[in-house]
Amino acid sequence: MELKKTPLYDEHVKLGGKVVDYAGWALPVQYEGIMKEHKAVRTAAGIFDVTHMGEIIVKGKDALEYLQYIFTNDLSKLTKNRIIYTFLCYPDGGVVDDLLVYKIDEDEYMLVPNAANTDKDFKWMIDNKKNFNIIIENVSDQIGEVALQGPLSEKILNELTEEDLSEIKPFSFKKDIIIADVKALVSRTGYTGEDGFEIYTSSEDIKKVWNSILEVGEKYGIAPTGLGCRDTLRFEAGLPLYGHEISENISPLEGDLKFFVKLNKEDFIGKEVLEKQDKNLSRKVVGFELKGRGVPRENYEVHKNGNKIGHVTTGYFSPTLKKNIGMALIDIAETEIGNEIDIIIRNKPVKAEIINKRFYKR
């Protein structure tokens, strides 16, 4: 099957990006190297093409009531121009996807699902529309998106707009901002553990925004950044990735993300099972640091006293912390901070210690 290309595909090729298949999209995994790009985001700034992410509009008289029914978080507290992180769950508590919800107006919301899940999410939403008085529209093909991340992000973007970007607080956004002479929606959420912005504009205009940011950012040390360091950055910040720390088989509670599941709100899909699970949780995602040699990788077995107690969900050599660290889904009885476990690397147990999974804090 031919890979889908974002409007920035030719720019990635020009910049020497190593293009790979990511969820059916042709996207750069790196340009000059994952370590170098990771460091650029931690110390200066990096720009990511995230046009592959989906955008779904929900609007109408019953928009809030409908979203409350399909999502785990409580959207009733969401005010205009604010953003909330939440889960779509199956009736059995497994995760359809994790998304950001932007409140555009009283009866209009923009949902941002993961690229690989956009079509699945859209179908799930249509299938659970019931008699709610709403319109659900997948507008992903019309929108381009870049993410500017790093401590110098605001300085760089300030050169391309007359808007006061300091007014855009974390998990909020402004519509109809002019960036590089292009009308855009600009938000401040991030997926790297650093400050930064997401810039949404039309598919036709996103190339101008991308090139303008790279041009003005050059003196600040900006780097074009690929999917490789996007993963190492989010992982150091302890942020989950769908298919790893949460999935159709791993609930938000098992992913240690209970904060985003409001069991005290009215009925939502999956609530009954999640309530039962909350009273008797059998496993949970934890962070760990390897004490011996080796790099922990996804799906490596985790043992305690010779018995398997779980598996690694994500593992890396941390470019920032210079340590081999990981996240693992393990039996609840073994999740205490400081507990010693074994990661099975090349059929040999390697000692590790359970630590807080917020590995990096800026």
Side-chain angles (χ1 to χ4, degrees):
M1 194 175 79
E2 192 175 343
L3 296 179
K4 290 181 275 189
K5 294 174 180 174
T6 77
L8 296 172
Y9 174 80
D10 290 341
E11 304 307 305
H12 303 317
V13 173
K14 273 187 219 166
L15 290 165
K18 183 183 175 186
V19 174
V20 298
D21 176 356
Y22 179 80
W25 290 85
L27 288 164
V29 67
Q30 63 180 51
Y31 298 87
E32 289 190 56
I34 291 172
M35 292 290 211
K36 191 172 181 180
E37 292 162 31
H38 183 109
K39 187 181 179 185
V41 175
R42 287 276 180 257
T43 60
I47 184 170
F48 299 86
D49 177 9
V50 283
T51 300
H52 60 298
M53 298 291 279
E55 289 86 19
I56 296 170
I57 301 294
V58 176
K59 58 186 175 183
K61 187 166 66 73
D62 299 339
L64 176 59
E65 192 183 349
Y66 166 73
L67 295 175
Q68 286 285 73
Y69 170 67
I70 63 168
F71 284 129
T72 62
N73 211 335
D74 187 0
L75 274 68
S76 67
K77 296 176 174 63
L78 194 61
T79 54
K80 191 176 168 183
N81 296 332
R82 295 286 296 172
I83 305 161
I84 201 167
Y85 175 72
T86 185
F87 300 101
L88 273 179
C89 280
Y90 293 106
D92 67 0
V95 179
V96 182
D97 201 7
D98 60 329
L99 305 90
L100 291 173
V101 179
Y102 289 57
K103 185 166 184 176
I104 306 291
D105 217 326
E106 285 312 310
D107 295 331
E108 183 177 353
Y109 299 80
M110 180 175 79
L111 284 45
V112 183
N114 287 297
N117 292 337
T118 302
D119 292 341
K120 177 183 74 170
D121 293 2
F122 184 61
K123 184 179 184 306
W124 177 256
M125 292 168 68
I126 295 291
D127 288 348
N128 288 281
K129 183 173 178 283
K130 296 196 168 185
N131 293 318
F132 290 106
N133 185 359
I134 49 165
I135 294 167
I136 308 170
E137 190 180 1
N138 184 355
V139 295
S140 306
D141 291 345
Q142 301 166 32
I143 296 174
E145 183 195 354
V146 295
L148 175 62
Q149 296 285 295
L152 302 184
S153 296
E154 189 175 309
K155 275 189 176 178
I156 292 167
L157 206 57
N158 263 330
E159 295 206 15
L160 293 167
T161 184
E162 292 181 9
E163 201 75 36
D164 183 0
L165 296 173
S166 68
E167 290 179 359
I168 303 176
K169 303 301 180 190
F171 278 77
S172 67
F173 67 93
K174 272 191 178 185
K175 274 184 75 185
D176 301 333
I177 288 182
I178 303 300
I179 302 282
D181 301 322
V182 166
K183 191 184 283 188
L185 182 154
V186 178
S187 62
R188 198 171 203 154
T189 64
Y191 190 53
T192 61
E194 299 297 337
D195 187 22
F197 300 89
E198 299 78 39
I199 301 117
Y200 298 83
T201 186
S202 70
S203 299
E204 295 78 28
D205 287 332
I206 199 67
K207 190 185 288 189
K208 185 172 186 187
V209 172
W210 168 273
N211 286 324
S212 298
I213 290 172
L214 277 175
E215 192 179 323
V216 302
E218 190 175 358
K219 63 179 176 284
Y220 295 102
I222 196 173
T225 38
L227 294 165
C229 79
R230 185 168 156 85
D231 198 41
T232 55
L233 290 158
R234 72 90 195 164
F235 162 67
E236 284 185 344
L239 300 170
L241 177 63
Y242 186 84
H244 294 249
E245 287 72 43
I246 43 170
S247 72
E248 60 185 27
N249 301 311
I250 305 171
S251 78
L253 304 185
E254 293 172 326
D256 194 26
L257 296 158
K258 184 182 175 181
F259 182 81
F260 307 102
V261 180
K262 305 305 185 195
L263 295 170
N264 59 349
K265 74 167 189 169
E266 283 186 38
D267 193 36
F268 60 86
I269 299 172
K271 181 182 179 183
E272 190 180 335
V273 170
L274 290 169
E275 279 181 323
K276 287 177 185 169
Q277 196 179 81
D278 186 46
K279 293 184 177 75
N280 191 26
L281 198 62
S282 62
R283 57 182 191 163
K284 192 172 77 171
V285 171
V286 295
F288 66 85
E289 180 184 338
L290 216 60
K291 295 301 184 183
R293 290 169 66 88
V295 180
R297 299 292 185 200
E298 181 191 356
N299 290 328
Y300 281 9
E301 289 187 2
V302 181
H303 286 206
K304 178 78 175 186
N305 300 325
N307 299 311
K308 183 181 175 184
I309 59 165
H311 70 275
V312 175
T313 58
T314 304
Y316 280 114
F317 172 76
S318 163
T320 306
L321 306 174
K322 310 294 187 220
K323 294 175 179 177
N324 287 307
I325 52 178
M327 289 191 265
L329 180 65
I330 65 171
D331 294 350
I332 197 76
E334 303 296 345
T335 56
E336 196 174 331
I337 298 284
N339 186 25
E340 278 208 341
I341 53 175
D342 292 318
I343 310 298
I344 307 302
I345 301 176
R346 296 193 185 91
N347 298 319
K348 290 181 181 174
V350 179
K351 288 278 175 238
E353 181 186 338
I354 292 176
I355 61 172
N356 189 314
K357 67 177 177 4
R358 284 281 309 275
F359 306 113
Y360 169 81
K361 293 177 187 173
R362 61 183 164 101

